[in-house]
Amino acid sequence: MEWFQPYKEVLKWDPPHAEWFVEGKFNIVHNALDRHVGSWRENKVAYMGG
């Protein structure tokens, strides 16, 4: 996973609340699709509904 802003800690546990990857930012579309543009996967089907 590529992070646009690195996280400071993996888990912040303050029962009953949990916060994962504190202060980290990533883009799920970039990680799932955009990072493959320009690679051998760029013309492959990313999702085929059915």
Side-chain angles (χ1 to χ4, degrees):
M1 176 134 20
E2 295 180 34
W3 292 87
F4 291 104
Q5 178 176 316
Y7 53 87
K8 301 291 182 184
E9 62 182 302
V10 175
L11 173 63
K12 181 179 178 183
W13 178 250
D14 186 21
H17 304 286
E19 186 176 347
W20 291 91
F21 303 107
V22 180
E23 296 185 29
K25 294 187 191 250
F26 69 94
N27 182 313
I28 194 66
V29 173
H30 171 78
N31 281 289
L33 302 172
D34 294 348
R35 68 186 184 130
H36 299 294
V37 173
S39 75
W40 65 272
R41 292 184 173 121
E42 73 179 338
N43 292 317
K44 299 285 184 185
V45 175
Y47 173 78
M48 184 178 290

